[in-house]
Amino acid sequence: MDAVDLTPGELRLLLAVERTGSFTAAAAELSLTQSAVSHAVRTCERKVGAVLFDRGRTGARPTAAGARALVHARLILRQLDVLRAEARGAAAGSLAGPLRIAAFRSAAAHLLPAALERLTAKHSGLHPQVLIVPELGRGTAGEVADGRADVAVATLGEDETPPAGLVAGELFREPYFLVNPGNQPDPRGLPLLDWPENCSSYTRSWWARQDWLPSAKMEVADDGVVLSMVAQGIGMAILPKLTLAATPPGVAVIPISDPPTRRIGYVATYAGAQSLAVRELVRELRAVAEAEFLRAA
C-alpha cells in the first residue's frame, strides 16, 4: 500500500469526528486522547492534500473537501464490510450481515415488508435496516450517494439519468387513481389534496390538462395523510396504487382513463449493484411487485 493511502482505521477516525462534532468527543468514543485524534486528522490531511475539518470553539466541522472525503470514506468502509460478508457467505452458502435500505414512506410500508420477508426466509443471517426518507431534494438516492444506504427504493423520473456514480433500474410502473370520500354526493366540491413528494413533472402536466378536477387545492404532509383526510371527507385526491395498498373503509377508489403513472425503481452505486444482497433484494422486490401490484393493476 502506498504510504499516502488512508488506512481503514484513519477513515473510521474521520467519520467519528464528523459524527461527534469534535476531536474531544471522537477521542472519548475511540478511547484515544484528544491530541492523538488531532495528530491523526493532521496526518490524514497531509495524505489527502487538503484541510478536512474547520476547527473552532464549537468543535470540528467538515470543510467542502472534508465532506467529499467523508462520502468516500463511508463508501470504502462499506465495500470492505461487503467484501468480508460476501466472502464468508460464499464459503457458507448464504448471505449475512446488514443490508441498508433507504425507501420513501409508501414503499417502506407496502412494498418492502413482503420482499424482506421473502429475502430473510432464504438468508436468515441477513439483517435489513430500513431508513424512511422523503422523496424531496436528493431523496432516497442521496442516501446511497452519501454512503448511508446500500440501495434505495426511489421514484424515477421519465428519461431521467441517475446522479453521477449511481445506477438505477425500474421495478414497476404504477397508475394513479381517483380517490373520493364514499359518502359525498359531489366530491368535486371538495378541495384536491396534494403532498410535497408528488412532484413528477408528468403527473403535474396531467393535472393541468384535467379541467374536471377541483380548482381549490390543499397540501398536506404526505400521501398517507392525504388518504386519511379523504377518509374523513376533507377532500378528494389522485393517488398512486402503492399508497392505496391499505385503503381505509369509506373511501371510493375509481380508475382513471389514461391515468398518470409513477416509475418505482432502485438506485445503488456501481459497486453496490453488484453485491449479492442488493441483487437478491431487487429480485424479491420485482417478485412482490409482480404478485401484488402489477397483476391487479
Side-chain angles (χ1 to χ4, degrees):
M1 177 180 292
D2 194 316
V4 299
D5 286 340
L6 297 181
T7 67
E10 288 172 326
L11 298 179
R12 294 187 182 96
L13 183 141
L14 293 177
L15 290 172
V17 174
E18 178 203 30
R19 185 168 55 251
T20 61
S22 75
F23 290 1
T24 302
E29 181 179 290
L30 299 171
S31 300
L32 298 171
T33 64
Q34 189 273 344
S35 61
V37 170
S38 180
H39 175 74
V41 171
R42 287 197 302 271
T43 298
C44 292
E45 289 175 331
R46 283 197 301 272
K47 289 182 176 182
V48 172
V51 175
L52 301 179
F53 290 96
D54 285 326
R55 286 82 156 166
R57 288 185 177 181
T58 58
R61 298 172 62 88
T63 62
R68 292 309 306 158
L70 291 163
V71 167
H72 290 292
R74 284 189 288 269
L75 293 169
I76 290 166
L77 290 173
R78 181 55 182 154
Q79 283 306 113
L80 291 174
D81 289 340
V82 171
L83 182 155
R84 285 189 291 269
E86 294 206 353
R88 292 169 183 168
S94 64
L95 296 176
L99 174 61
R100 306 171 307 163
I101 306 161
F104 58 94
R105 188 207 66 83
S106 57
H110 305 304
L111 180 63
L112 272 178
L116 294 179
E117 182 179 16
R118 294 166 61 110
L119 183 64
T120 54
K122 296 176 182 176
H123 306 285
S124 59
L126 203 58
H127 303 294
Q129 302 167 355
V130 180
L131 177 65
I132 299 177
V133 179
E135 279 291 71
L136 297 170
R138 297 171 72 229
T140 58
E143 298 299 309
V144 174
D146 289 346
R148 294 188 174 91
D150 302 317
V151 61
V153 181
T155 55
L156 306 177
E158 296 294 330
D159 301 320
E160 181 182 357
T161 58
L166 303 181
V167 294
E170 183 174 309
L171 294 170
F172 64 100
R173 191 180 287 262
E174 59 173 343
Y176 279 66
F177 290 80
L178 171 64
V179 185
N180 286 331
N183 58 356
Q184 289 288 335
D186 183 18
R188 285 180 291 180
L190 299 172
L192 180 66
L193 302 176
D194 194 10
W195 72 102
E197 289 174 86
N198 189 31
C199 56
S200 162
S201 60
Y202 177 79
T203 304
R204 293 297 190 207
S205 63
W206 181 90
W207 278 34
R209 299 193 301 272
Q210 311 307 309
D211 56 8
W212 57 273
L213 289 175
S215 57
K217 293 182 175 61
M218 181 187 302
E219 187 171 289
V220 297
D222 60 44
D223 54 339
V225 176
V226 169
L227 187 56
S228 176
M229 292 180 73
V230 171
Q232 296 172 48
I234 296 173
M236 61 175 290
I238 308 295
L239 287 171
K241 186 175 180 63
L242 196 58
T243 303
L244 301 173
T247 305
V251 172
V253 178
I254 304 166
I256 300 171
S257 175
D258 190 25
T261 59
R262 182 170 73 165
R263 294 175 69 211
I264 306 299
Y266 69 90
V267 178
T269 64
Y270 286 102
Q274 301 306 311
S275 77
L276 293 176
V278 168
R279 287 159 56 192
E280 285 294 302
L281 174 64
V282 169
R283 190 192 318 275
E284 298 302 343
L285 287 170
R286 292 191 194 281
V288 170
E290 174 67 23
E292 299 186 17
F293 295 102
L294 298 183
R295 291 177 182 171

